[in-house]
Amino acid sequence: MTKRSQLPQMNGHAMTCGGGFETWLQYVDGFVLRHFCAFELLDDARGHARLTDYHRKLVEAAVENGFGVINEGLHYRASRDWGELIGISREGLEEINIRGIEFYRDFAREYDSPETPMRVGGVIGPRGDAYNVGRTPDAAEAEDYHSEQILTFRKAGVDQVSAVTFSSVAEAIGVARAAKAAGMPVVISFFVKQGGRLSGGETLEEAIARVDAATGKAPAYYMINCTHPTEFEPALTPGDWTRRLGGFMPNAVAMDTLSLCKLGHLEDGDPEELGGQMADLARRFPHINVWGGCCGTDGRHIGEITRQVGAVRHASRAGGGAGIA
């Protein structure tokens, strides 16, 4: 079983990851995703081909610039409540979670090298809607609920659990506790609204402090995803707490995420500009090793992000990655 200390990003390797590709699948490829459940496309020949093409372009862009990849993303809504909405049993969910991990493991086998390490992650999304938040589970309920998917990921042999687009501190605590109980490295990625706060009003610093205090610093590190750098920058207040940040996964454009998902067309912004914005963050936070993308991004954006962030890392000789505490 992978230990936290064995994750390449914890040992200075520059890594990337992708998420939010559901927007591409819907608005470019024309798929109808029931309740945003992209994992269903594993059973569709054209869907499987488009997923393969999307991820291959992302991986090859990263490898070209010397970055490794955390291969993950399909399982964002492959949990009990969402499965019930589309008529999939718990046994069916377990099977498709494991099959999705094998999908990513194929990429890891093909592209892995000492210079560009490939790892496989199991992504977990919130129990409810991340953007139109209603009732959120308390920590105990979240631990019980998310432990099902985490145990499936452990069975499948993933390297890490990535809990993404979380806006509830209590739910993040539950996920971290479930992963800790399963002996799995876990990353918590928060969704912060414009102005830099979570849906409950907490600052990012407050949210991280609360999760760390309640779990004995169970998360390997924290991230921000599904918002644009110009929107989440206010959350990055000065202080030692930022050493707990380990990565960013920005959206391609600055726009309310709920609106972005309902536009009916894709907004993919300017990949070169986004790469420059991430490079600015790399200068500010040289200890951060994970530089990915979320809604609206694809291999072009990952190419620019890894190219420009890689140039900053090389110039500053900041590739050691130490400091994620």
Side-chain angles (χ1 to χ4, degrees):
M1 188 177 297
T2 305
K3 297 180 180 179
R4 177 192 301 192
S5 61
Q6 295 173 321
L7 297 176
Q9 62 269 38
M10 301 301 292
N11 293 297
H13 278 283
M15 305 288 285
T16 192
C17 53
F21 46 82
E22 293 89 348
T23 52
W24 275 95
L25 293 168
Q26 291 183 129
Y27 301 142
V28 176
D29 296 320
F31 291 103
V32 176
L33 301 181
R34 297 190 296 168
H35 297 285
F36 227 51
C37 293
F39 60 84
E40 285 196 282
L41 295 186
L42 289 173
D43 292 324
D44 178 283
R46 187 173 77 90
H48 194 285
R50 295 305 299 142
L51 287 169
T52 299
D53 180 67
Y54 178 94
H55 286 88
R56 188 175 299 282
K57 287 177 179 176
L58 184 155
V59 171
E60 291 185 347
V63 169
E64 182 178 355
N65 292 307
F67 275 58
V69 179
I70 305 164
N71 296 275
E72 60 183 8
L74 268 173
H75 304 98
Y76 179 67
R77 283 193 167 168
S79 62
R80 186 204 317 158
D81 286 2
W82 298 106
E84 289 178 355
L85 283 175
I86 61 174
I88 297 181
S89 67
R90 292 192 188 186
E91 294 76 17
L93 277 175
E94 180 179 29
E95 187 272 338
I96 207 159
N97 269 282
I98 292 173
R99 189 146 48 91
I101 293 302
E102 284 303 313
F103 171 86
Y104 286 118
R105 189 165 283 121
D106 286 342
F107 282 102
R109 292 189 188 104
E110 184 175 353
Y111 291 95
D112 184 59
S113 76
E115 294 76 27
T116 59
M118 296 286 140
R119 296 297 181 266
V120 177
V123 161
I124 286 178
R127 183 171 190 174
D129 193 302
Y131 316 114
N132 188 18
V133 180
R135 189 190 74 83
T136 57
D138 61 26
E141 179 187 339
E143 180 178 359
D144 176 71
Y145 178 82
H146 292 295
S147 64
E148 293 179 10
Q149 197 173 12
I150 289 171
L151 291 173
T152 298
F153 288 150
R154 186 178 70 175
K155 180 178 180 180
V158 302
D159 296 298
Q160 68 179 66
V161 173
S162 301
V164 304
T165 324
F166 274 66
S167 57
S168 161
V169 173
E171 189 170 13
I173 289 170
V175 171
R177 286 175 174 169
K180 184 177 182 179
M184 297 295 300
V186 62
V187 174
I188 302 293
S189 187
F190 282 116
F191 166 66
V192 295
K193 296 184 175 183
Q194 294 181 7
R197 290 179 179 266
L198 277 66
S199 61
E202 303 92 346
T203 66
L204 186 60
E205 179 180 2
E206 291 168 344
I208 290 173
R210 284 179 56 189
V211 176
D212 272 351
T215 65
K217 284 192 171 182
Y221 55 90
Y222 295 84
M223 297 179 64
I224 300 173
N225 81 292
C226 215
T227 184
H228 190 265
T230 57
E231 296 172 317
F232 69 69
E233 197 281 333
L236 304 177
T237 54
D240 290 342
W241 73 273
T242 58
R243 305 296 293 183
R244 290 292 282 140
L245 290 173
F248 299 116
M249 292 175 63
N251 284 351
V253 296
M255 183 180 291
D256 173 72
T257 307
L258 185 59
S259 299
L260 189 65
C261 292
K262 294 183 176 181
L263 282 175
H265 66 272
L266 185 77
E267 290 286 345
D268 58 354
D270 183 336
E272 185 175 359
E273 180 182 50
L274 183 63
Q277 291 164 331
M278 294 287 269
D280 288 341
L281 289 170
R283 295 184 185 94
R284 183 175 170 187
F285 301 105
H287 70 280
I288 288 180
N289 294 319
V290 182
W291 300 89
C294 204
C295 294
T297 64
D298 65 359
R300 296 168 303 147
H301 303 78
I302 295 300
E304 282 296 330
I305 289 168
T306 55
R307 181 182 69 82
Q308 295 192 51
V309 169
V312 170
R313 290 169 64 93
H314 179 75
S316 64
R317 300 174 182 248
I324 301 176

